[in-house]
Amino acid sequence: MDMHDLTRSLIAKNDSKIVMLVADGLGGLPMTPGGKTELETAKTPNLDRIATGAVQGASIPVKPGIAPGSGPGHLGLFGYDPLQYQIGRGALEATGIGFPLQAGDVAIRCNFCTLGPDGNISDRRAGRISSEDSAPIAISLRAIKIPGVEIFVEPVKEHRFVVVFRGPGLGGEVNDTDPQATGVPPLDPVARDEASKKTAEVAKEFLKQARVILKGQSKANFHTMRGFAAKPNMPSYEDVYGLRAAAIAVYPMYKGLAHLVGMKIIGSAQTLDEQIDVLEKAWDDYDFFFIHFKYTDSTGEDGNFDAKVKRIEEVDAIMPRIEKLSPTVLIVTGDHSTPSFMQSHSWHPVPTLLASHCCRPDHHTAFNETTCITGGLGQFEAKYLMLLALSNAGRMGKFGA
Amino acid sequence: MDMHDLTRSLIAKNDSKIVMLVADGLGGLPMTPGGKTELETAKTPNLDRIATGAVQGASIPVKPGIAPGSGPGHLGLFGYDPLQYQIGRGALEATGIGFPLQAGDVAIRCNFCTLGPDGNISDRRAGRISSEDSAPIAISLRAIKIPGVEIFVEPVKEHRFVVVFRGPGLGGEVNDTDPQATGVPPLDPVARDEASKKTAEVAKEFLKQARVILKGQSKANFHTMRGFAAKPNMPSYEDVYGLRAAAIAVYPMYKGLAHLVGMKIIGSAQTLDEQIDVLEKAWDDYDFFFIHFKYTDSTGEDGNFDAKVKRIEEVDAIMPRIEKLSPTVLIVTGDHSTPSFMQSHSWHPVPTLLASHCCRPDHHTAFNETTCITGGLGQFEAKYLMLLALSNAGRMGKFGA
């Protein structure tokens, strides 16, 4: 049985409030054998106090041993099996810049490239053109018009931009035009299925007009198209959980991921403090709040153990403001681990805390990688966290009589 | 999504080395209430020292409560879902004597039987004929020739032998000819599907010629055929993990199981010390080494608690030689538990140890059935162990962006 069919059938509505605070890349490793992790090193009096009356566990983002990107990491936390719901590269790139994809859209990652006089690619990244130089060139492509299709062109960074086609009958199964080599011409867009033939035709016309517009450019005189992807077909939070859900995030990628599952993106906070301001203001209007904090991940990616410790302490310091709102269920977790030691996302289970009046607290009085292993939630796949959130909020009826 | 499609898509190659030492039937039970298990009783200073810097957990061979045979037990450890990949009885018997099955082969377990003058079976096991007597009789059946099919006949033990048919168009779905009763004639081989009709015909012809050859025998004057099975279609370690894998085993069954997943069977070691000699010599030539130690299982099957303790200490004593090679990932586990108390395979989770520079060590300083339950790997299905091995070796890229 599909888990969402199950949750749909058990939805019970009430006035409860669920807060899920995601400290990105929360889990870590010691820098030296026998040492402490970032979370174990950080002074977290508030989280430890909450842990004393809460239940904790170790969340496995996808499956044991699988290190996820932000996409699968968050889909799991949102309760969408990340192996079932895969976001194509183009859709993820569009999501990453916060582009609100609609059902039926096809998103494409584009790279400016340099064509030599012979028409062959001489540089697949247009001399790594700067963002300042490339953005206006990308925007110049908005002049392209194709009947029956709405077209969006969004600059990303350096040689990269995103194109989105919107219109009826557009499939996402089209091959890359990037030949992955220089000294050869770009490829034509070729559909891999019947439903994507129109997309391939539209892409061909787009490239034809782009070639004319870009002709005069010295570096970026053409572009390739890669990772064609339709918007993934994901049921909404409202549909599967009966929740009015809001996302309070700073970075476009996380707003985009929340948008994919139908959360409303609220506020324009730039700091964690401002995010909590937004939370306070919107408190009465939503049932579920996803709060995303990026810097526990970015400091880990930088290999900056001390900075990650400080960022964790920043999360800890904000907790009383959230507690003051008396959420029915308060969850603190991460979408994956990002150990400073590895300077990358990893597969290690993520410390996860759940507080509610009926959570069956475990015996722990601290919250970290060591305690969570023997916490009351045990080790569990992230995709089950929303079920726990809903039941702790009294929002899920009994299964079967 | 199939887990092997996932691992294939994430393969990252490097110079790492993975060693998986399987102490067969490692897990145990106390002989008396409140007592210690074999592993808890054994003096294991090396394993305990390794455990101090490693992560451990409890491996569930198939599913909670399922006691596996050697086949499913090892397939799980190798990362092949033992419920998805089932090895038919004939193929397992052939594997058990180390017969290198090829794709398309059909293997059959055969039992010598005694026919009375009326043609009915008077003894389904030919008077439990001795191995010494039956082996030459089985070998005499190699005289059987059937056009278009290569035939192998291999003695096993007592009344048992294996027949393998090799050739195009042979399906494995043929009914047993053993009527499971005496006083009735053997059954004809009957195909259960279209693709196996030729196999049934070949079997019928084989039985016809066998009847003539065996005519003069007093006990073994005929034989039945059971457990027809095609070679299971299993992708190789090279294919799904990108690993050059070697198996260092003493017993044919484990060589056979390793062969099924494409491992190279290396050396002809007869003792654990000799197995490590083989490991040392082959160190540069492979990425992954499966070392199989049988006697922790056989002593358990014998109900000999003290002998099993000694065998575990033998495994412990060898650890420094493996450590000296500095494997990137070192795993010590078992394919299932074989408690001396039960004198049989059991379903109990198996203590499993994983050491690597990035394994996130847990707080344990010993390695046994009690510690593993609260280890950092928690309880996990054996089929995920290879994912953990690969990621700890840096051999698996990030899933999704």
Side-chain angles (χ1 to χ4, degrees):
Chain A
M1 184 183 197
D2 180 83
M3 206 49 63
H4 288 154
D5 287 340
L6 181 63
T7 58
R8 263 189 211 99
S9 72
L10 301 179
I11 288 174
K13 298 208 179 186
N14 61 23
D15 292 335
S16 64
K17 303 284 182 188
I18 303 170
V19 174
M20 182 188 284
L21 172 61
V22 176
D24 204 305
L26 178 62
L29 284 176
M31 294 299 273
T32 50
K36 290 181 173 184
T37 67
E38 297 91 331
L39 182 55
E40 288 166 355
T41 304
K43 290 197 172 56
T44 53
N46 292 304
L47 288 169
D48 293 346
R49 175 178 43 74
I50 296 169
T52 302
V55 64
Q56 60 183 274
S59 164
I60 297 168
V62 179
K63 291 282 178 191
I66 304 291
S70 299
H74 278 83
L75 291 195
L77 292 178
F78 295 161
Y80 296 72
D81 186 337
L83 292 174
Q84 181 185 348
Y85 294 96
Q86 296 195 31
I87 310 172
R89 303 293 310 199
L92 193 68
E93 189 92 342
T95 299
I97 57 168
F99 184 92
L101 285 175
Q102 295 184 10
D105 286 0
V106 171
I108 308 141
R109 306 163 77 197
C110 298
N111 281 2
F112 283 119
C113 64
T114 312
L115 295 185
D118 54 359
N120 291 338
I121 296 177
S122 59
D123 190 317
R124 288 175 55 238
R125 296 183 189 84
R128 290 215 177 259
I129 186 170
S130 73
S131 304
E132 294 71 42
D133 290 345
S134 74
I137 306 178
I139 286 166
S140 74
L141 296 177
R142 290 181 182 168
I144 294 173
K145 302 292 173 209
I146 301 174
V149 181
E150 198 174 353
I151 298 172
F152 304 86
V153 182
E154 302 292 343
V156 180
K157 215 179 162 182
E158 296 167 355
H159 55 284
R160 302 201 310 271
F161 63 101
V162 167
V163 168
V164 175
F165 297 149
R166 179 171 297 165
L170 297 173
E173 300 297 316
V174 176
N175 287 348
D176 293 356
T177 72
D178 183 345
Q180 299 281 341
T182 54
V184 293
L187 305 171
D188 268 344
V190 175
R192 288 192 297 275
D193 66 16
E194 196 63 30
S196 303
K197 285 209 162 153
K198 182 176 167 189
T199 311
E201 285 309 310
V202 170
K204 211 167 166 178
E205 176 61 25
F206 187 96
L207 287 164
K208 189 176 147 194
Q209 296 188 35
R211 195 183 280 264
V212 176
I213 292 171
L214 300 175
K215 203 169 192 165
Q217 296 293 336
S218 57
K219 288 176 173 175
N221 65 358
F222 198 49
H223 72 86
T224 55
M225 301 183 111
R226 309 187 304 155
F228 285 77
K231 176 183 184 295
N233 187 12
M234 309 184 71
S236 73
Y237 254 50
E238 177 74 50
D239 171 17
V240 297
Y241 304 137
L243 290 174
R244 298 170 300 162
I248 309 174
V250 173
Y251 282 72
M253 167 67 91
Y254 311 95
K255 294 180 184 172
L257 289 166
H259 172 81
L260 284 180
V261 297
M263 292 189 204
K264 187 85 184 286
I265 315 304
I266 60 172
S268 54
Q270 294 301 308
T271 66
L272 190 50
D273 251 315
E274 289 171 9
Q275 288 177 277
I276 306 303
D277 293 343
V278 173
L279 176 70
E280 288 170 351
K281 271 185 212 123
W283 192 247
D284 292 337
D285 302 331
Y286 299 93
D287 310 309
F288 177 94
F289 298 90
F290 158 56
I291 305 173
H292 182 266
F293 183 70
K294 174 69 180 170
Y295 306 103
T296 31
D297 174 61
S298 44
T299 48
E301 293 255 19
D302 290 344
N304 194 335
F305 188 96
D306 295 341
K308 186 171 171 188
V309 168
K310 282 216 162 57
R311 291 303 196 167
I312 291 170
E313 292 175 348
E314 197 178 322
V315 171
D316 184 78
I318 213 74
M319 296 313 298
R321 285 192 65 194
I322 301 178
E323 289 175 274
K324 202 169 283 178
L325 293 163
S326 298
T328 319
V329 178
L330 170 59
I331 291 170
V332 179
T333 187
D335 55 336
H336 52 74
S337 295
T338 307
S340 308
F341 178 71
M342 296 179 67
Q343 302 189 23
S344 68
H345 293 197
S346 81
W347 61 91
H348 301 90
V350 185
T352 300
L353 193 60
L354 187 154
S356 84
H357 77 293
C358 57
C359 67
R360 191 192 281 172
D362 50 39
H363 64 290
H364 286 303
T365 55
F367 173 57
N368 55 53
E369 288 84 351
T370 301
T371 56
C372 73
I373 293 297
T374 50
L377 297 178
Q379 299 212 21
F380 61 93
E381 290 181 32
K383 66 180 177 184
Y384 296 119
L385 185 57
M386 275 303 298
L387 302 185
L388 290 161
L390 291 164
S391 43
N392 274 277
R395 282 182 172 269
M396 212 156 49
K398 189 164 67 174
F399 170 59
Chain B
M1 182 181 198
D2 179 83
M3 206 48 63
H4 287 154
D5 286 341
L6 181 62
T7 58
R8 264 190 210 98
S9 73
L10 301 179
I11 288 174
K13 298 207 178 188
N14 61 22
D15 292 336
S16 64
K17 303 283 183 191
I18 303 171
V19 173
M20 182 188 284
L21 172 61
V22 176
D24 204 304
L26 177 61
L29 285 174
M31 293 300 274
T32 51
K36 290 180 172 184
T37 68
E38 297 91 331
L39 181 55
E40 287 165 356
T41 303
K43 290 198 172 57
T44 53
N46 293 303
L47 288 169
D48 293 346
R49 175 178 43 73
I50 296 169
T52 303
V55 64
Q56 60 184 274
S59 163
I60 297 167
V62 179
K63 292 282 177 191
I66 304 292
S70 298
H74 278 82
L75 291 194
L77 291 178
F78 296 162
Y80 297 71
D81 186 336
L83 293 175
Q84 179 186 350
Y85 293 98
Q86 297 195 27
I87 310 174
R89 301 296 309 196
L92 192 66
E93 190 91 343
T95 300
I97 56 167
F99 184 92
L101 284 176
Q102 295 183 9
D105 286 0
V106 171
I108 308 140
R109 306 165 77 198
C110 297
N111 281 3
F112 283 119
C113 63
T114 312
L115 296 186
D118 55 358
N120 290 339
I121 295 176
S122 59
D123 191 317
R124 288 176 55 239
R125 296 183 189 85
R128 290 217 178 255
I129 185 170
S130 73
S131 302
E132 294 71 40
D133 291 344
S134 75
I137 305 177
I139 286 167
S140 74
L141 295 177
R142 290 181 182 167
I144 294 173
K145 302 293 173 209
I146 299 173
V149 181
E150 199 173 353
I151 297 172
F152 304 86
V153 182
E154 302 291 343
V156 179
K157 216 178 162 183
E158 297 167 353
H159 56 284
R160 303 202 308 274
F161 62 101
V162 166
V163 168
V164 176
F165 296 149
R166 178 171 297 166
L170 297 172
E173 299 298 314
V174 176
N175 287 348
D176 293 356
T177 72
D178 182 344
Q180 299 282 341
T182 53
V184 292
L187 305 170
D188 267 344
V190 175
R192 288 192 296 274
D193 65 17
E194 195 63 30
S196 304
K197 287 210 162 155
K198 182 176 166 188
T199 310
E201 285 308 310
V202 169
K204 209 166 168 180
E205 175 61 24
F206 186 96
L207 288 163
K208 188 176 148 195
Q209 297 188 33
R211 195 185 280 263
V212 176
I213 292 171
L214 300 174
K215 202 169 193 167
Q217 296 294 335
S218 57
K219 289 176 174 175
N221 65 358
F222 198 49
H223 71 88
T224 55
M225 301 183 112
R226 307 188 305 155
F228 285 77
K231 176 185 184 293
N233 187 14
M234 310 184 70
S236 73
Y237 254 51
E238 177 76 49
D239 172 16
V240 298
Y241 304 137
L243 289 173
R244 298 170 303 162
I248 308 175
V250 173
Y251 282 72
M253 168 67 92
Y254 311 95
K255 295 180 183 174
L257 289 166
H259 172 80
L260 284 180
V261 296
M263 292 191 204
K264 187 85 184 287
I265 315 304
I266 60 172
S268 54
Q270 293 300 309
T271 67
L272 189 50
D273 250 314
E274 290 173 8
Q275 287 178 279
I276 307 303
D277 293 343
V278 173
L279 176 70
E280 288 170 352
K281 274 187 207 117
W283 191 249
D284 291 337
D285 302 332
Y286 298 92
D287 310 309
F288 177 94
F289 298 89
F290 158 56
I291 305 173
H292 182 265
F293 184 71
K294 174 68 179 170
Y295 306 104
T296 32
D297 174 61
S298 43
T299 49
E301 294 254 20
D302 291 343
N304 193 334
F305 187 97
D306 295 341
K308 186 172 171 187
V309 168
K310 282 215 161 56
R311 290 305 197 168
I312 291 170
E313 292 176 348
E314 196 178 323
V315 171
D316 184 78
I318 212 75
M319 297 312 299
R321 286 192 66 195
I322 301 177
E323 289 176 273
K324 204 169 278 177
L325 293 163
S326 298
T328 318
V329 178
L330 171 58
I331 292 170
V332 179
T333 186
D335 55 336
H336 52 75
S337 295
T338 306
S340 308
F341 178 71
M342 297 178 66
Q343 303 190 25
S344 67
H345 292 198
S346 81
W347 62 91
H348 302 90
V350 185
T352 299
L353 193 61
L354 187 155
S356 84
H357 78 295
C358 57
C359 67
R360 193 190 276 171
D362 50 41
H363 65 290
H364 287 304
T365 55
F367 172 57
N368 55 53
E369 288 84 351
T370 302
T371 56
C372 74
I373 294 298
T374 50
L377 297 177
Q379 300 212 21
F380 61 94
E381 290 182 33
K383 66 181 177 184
Y384 295 121
L385 185 58
M386 275 303 298
L387 302 184
L388 290 162
L390 291 164
S391 45
N392 275 276
R395 283 182 172 270
M396 211 157 49
K398 192 164 66 174
F399 170 58

